Amino acid sequence: MNPLFQILFDDKTTFLGGNLKETKWQSIPDKKIITLIYFMPIGDALVLSEYNAYYHYVEVTNDLTGPKKGQVQLEYIYLIGKKDTTYKLYKINLKTQQIEIQILTENDKLIKELNPIGWKKGI
Amino acid sequence: MATVMNFLINYVDAAVAYATTPADYILVDLVNDYLIWTAGDTVVKDLMTHEPTADELNAAGTIISDIADTMVAKCLLMDYSHSVGGAYYTHLVLGMGLNSRYSYCFSFDGITATIPRLEAWDDSDHDTIAKHVLGASTPANSMVKAVRTTGGLPGAGWAGTPIAGAANYVELDTAVLSGAKDLYANCKIVIPQSYATPSAELFCLTVRYTYL
């Protein structure tokens, strides 16, 4: 089984991500990321490089009522690359496997409200 | 590990936080337990000794008023294990719809990337809001009103946000979670005056949250 992602750092070392429940994003060493290869659930891969910073998180729902109550449903993966003042967002729908791409700025609510602890430095 | 949320209801004193007196709360077994919004009667009430039947729930339905909006009077937790405070199947959620801060608790065990939200949908697909209780596809008309109470009381006569779909939701805190934290909300159902379509509807309340 593929790791969730693979990272190449500027010192030529690498880091492997975990899975959707234990992503290991917070265990990424504090080194400059040269390339991030993100392995999609359907088998393809997204390759991100030359960004100033990277962000990744998983969105889930937990129903309190209804037929699937109590089941944590994986909804989306968010992968963000920051370059200067723009942010390229890959929103991966885990139910349909479709990817939506958005270009955001630091003034967008989604960017402004992100937990700053999740940013990992690039070049 | 992924951040985990537990859902609890206060059945003793809605002025007391979970961290202060955990015994005032019931941890909801989301797979087997469920919430019932009802007018209540002599049968469907707090501390029932059996699981209410569909006929009993229908008999205790809310009467739609032709002179004013009507708040559904009670929210009961149907406790499948009936193991709290005696062999009771139902427990009244204290403070529901009132100026109460600690009725519904959402207890998170770790950090989040974004602010957790309380949403309402037709079902677990989370893509439609056609049911009458959710405004029949008009989110602003949703009868499900919610208010964040993590930071304080909701205020007397609180109106709340009509929650339905992706655009009408309630954020359960004012910022992302930087560690384990208990969040709170109050939630009620208000049926508009002279609403023309009586019904008994199941809908999906969901908490949407994120982790790194």
Side-chain angles (χ1 to χ4, degrees):
Chain A
M1 188 175 177
N2 276 338
L4 202 56
F5 53 85
Q6 181 175 8
I7 290 175
L8 173 65
F9 297 102
D10 66 342
D11 64 358
K12 308 299 183 191
T13 60
T14 61
F15 178 86
L16 295 178
N19 54 55
L20 285 172
K21 290 187 176 174
E22 173 58 74
T23 68
K24 296 188 180 178
W25 186 258
Q26 288 303 88
S27 301
I28 295 173
D30 184 23
K31 298 189 288 189
K32 287 184 178 179
I33 295 172
I34 299 296
T35 302
L36 187 157
I37 304 169
Y38 199 88
F39 298 103
M40 302 283 293
I42 52 175
D44 296 334
L46 282 171
V47 180
L48 280 69
S49 62
E50 299 186 352
Y51 285 104
N52 307 137
Y54 298 82
Y55 204 105
H56 168 267
Y57 64 93
V58 180
E59 181 177 294
V60 298
T61 52
N62 192 350
D63 292 353
L64 311 179
T65 59
K68 291 186 179 175
K69 58 190 171 70
Q71 297 178 30
V72 176
Q73 295 189 74
L74 294 163
E75 300 280 351
Y76 296 96
I77 295 166
Y78 290 77
L79 194 57
I80 305 171
K82 174 183 185 291
K83 192 162 192 176
D84 300 325
T85 58
T86 62
Y87 298 77
K88 189 168 187 177
L89 165 70
Y90 298 86
K91 183 178 178 181
I92 304 162
N93 187 321
L94 290 167
K95 292 178 177 172
T96 66
Q97 308 299 328
Q98 292 181 320
I99 304 176
E100 176 186 339
I101 298 174
Q102 299 176 29
I103 304 298
L104 304 173
T105 73
E106 59 194 7
N107 294 321
D108 283 290
K109 175 178 163 66
L110 186 146
I111 298 297
K112 283 197 293 188
E113 292 184 351
L114 281 177
N115 192 333
I117 200 171
W119 285 107
K120 303 300 174 188
K121 64 186 176 188
I123 57 174
Chain B
M1 291 295 291
T3 296
V4 173
M5 182 209 72
N6 283 316
F7 177 52
L8 306 103
I9 62 100
N10 190 321
Y11 78 117
V12 177
D13 182 352
V16 175
Y18 177 57
T20 305
T21 311
D24 285 5
Y25 288 76
I26 298 173
L27 174 62
V28 179
D29 168 7
L30 285 172
V31 174
N32 294 304
D33 299 347
Y34 53 91
L35 297 174
I36 301 167
W37 271 273
T38 176
D41 59 14
T42 56
V43 177
V44 178
K45 60 182 181 178
D46 192 17
L47 305 180
M48 292 178 68
T49 53
H50 66 279
E51 182 173 4
T53 66
D55 286 345
E56 289 171 342
L57 291 173
N58 285 336
T62 299
I63 305 296
I64 298 173
S65 169
D66 61 358
I67 56 173
D69 296 349
T70 304
M71 185 181 90
V72 178
K74 293 182 171 74
C75 180
L76 301 173
L77 172 69
M78 169 45 216
D79 178 16
Y80 182 81
S81 65
H82 52 286
S83 58
V84 177
Y88 299 118
Y89 282 78
T90 56
H91 293 278
L92 186 68
V93 179
L94 289 190
M96 186 279 298
L98 305 177
N99 186 20
S100 297
R101 181 176 178 184
Y102 300 116
S103 294
Y104 301 91
C105 175
F106 308 86
S107 181
F108 289 83
D109 72 350
I111 67 173
T112 60
T114 59
I115 302 173
R117 298 175 175 179
L118 180 64
E119 301 177 351
W121 297 91
D122 282 342
D123 56 41
S124 295
D125 290 339
H126 307 142
D127 55 6
T128 60
I129 50 167
K131 291 181 175 174
H132 291 282
V133 71
L134 299 179
S137 298
T138 302
N141 293 342
S142 176
M143 301 178 199
V144 183
K145 320 289 186 187
V147 63
R148 174 179 62 240
T149 57
T150 301
L153 290 164
W158 60 271
T161 297
I163 59 171
N168 280 39
Y169 55 81
V170 163
E171 290 183 328
L172 294 170
D173 206 349
T174 54
V176 298
L177 305 190
S178 55
K181 188 173 183 181
D182 299 330
L183 309 182
Y184 296 91
N186 206 324
C187 185
K188 62 185 177 183
I189 297 176
V190 179
I191 305 171
Q193 175 185 343
S194 301
Y195 195 75
T197 311
S199 61
E201 291 185 320
L202 299 175
F203 66 99
C204 177
L205 267 180
T206 193
V207 176
R208 186 179 299 272
Y209 66 97
T210 57
Y211 55 85
L212 296 165

